Amino acid sequence: MQGVGPISAAQILISWSHTGRFRSEAAFAGVAPIPASGLTNRHRINRGGDRQLNRALHTITLIRIRLDPTTRAYVARRISEGKTARDAQRCLKRAICRQLFKLLERGDQPAQRITAEDLPQAA
């Protein structure tokens, strides 16, 4: 996956540990938004969950925003919808968390063979 380096991948695998440990992708890293208090109609970051995993997801998010044109388009679309840059990044982090959760939950299927062409994509 774009943006997932060896340290981030190690943290993801350590936090995930086995299939069925988490009930949903929202519980995976604590990236589910919770309503902000007060009279505003906003959401804030959930301070619960695995903080090291959340940091790894943050790093993956920053790398993908910088390098991946599809991710840049996603963030630009979210900002044009009226979200702030932080809200757009939070939405992106949640989308990446969903992708990783689905990838890890498919662990019972045979692994794909990694070729030399796949290695530059992982960095």
Side-chain angles (χ1 to χ4, degrees), residues 16 18-22 100-108:
W16 179 71
H18 63 278
T19 303
R21 179 171 178 218
F22 296 100
L100 288 170
F101 185 77
K102 287 178 184 177
L103 181 71
L104 292 170
E105 284 292 312
R106 283 194 333 219
D108 58 345

Side-chain angles (χ1 to χ4, degrees), residues 30-45:
V31 295
I34 56 176
S37 61
L39 299 174
T40 62
N41 188 14
R42 292 183 318 107
H43 291 84
R44 66 178 178 84
I45 189 169

Side-chain angles (χ1 to χ4, degrees), residues 72-121:
R72 278 194 222 144
Y74 176 83
V75 171
R77 181 172 47 100
R78 288 293 185 170
I79 291 174
S80 70
E81 291 173 357
K83 296 202 179 289
T84 64
R86 287 182 88 173
D87 288 339
Q89 187 175 4
R90 189 176 302 117
C91 292
L92 176 62
K93 191 185 288 189
R94 182 86 187 266
I96 291 171
C97 187
R98 273 191 211 106
Q99 290 174 351
L100 288 170
F101 185 77
K102 287 178 184 177
L103 181 71
L104 292 170
E105 284 292 312
R106 283 194 333 219
D108 58 345
Q109 297 176 2
Q112 294 178 348
R113 187 172 175 90
I114 297 175
T115 62
E117 292 83 31
D118 296 333
L119 293 178
Q121 184 77 11

Side-chain angles (χ1 to χ4, degrees), residues 3-15 52-53 55-57 59-60 122:
V4 181
I7 295 173
S8 297
Q11 183 58 53
I12 290 166
L13 290 175
I14 288 169
S15 298
Q52 288 83 15
L53 178 57
R55 177 63 188 159
L57 286 172
T59 303
I60 294 166

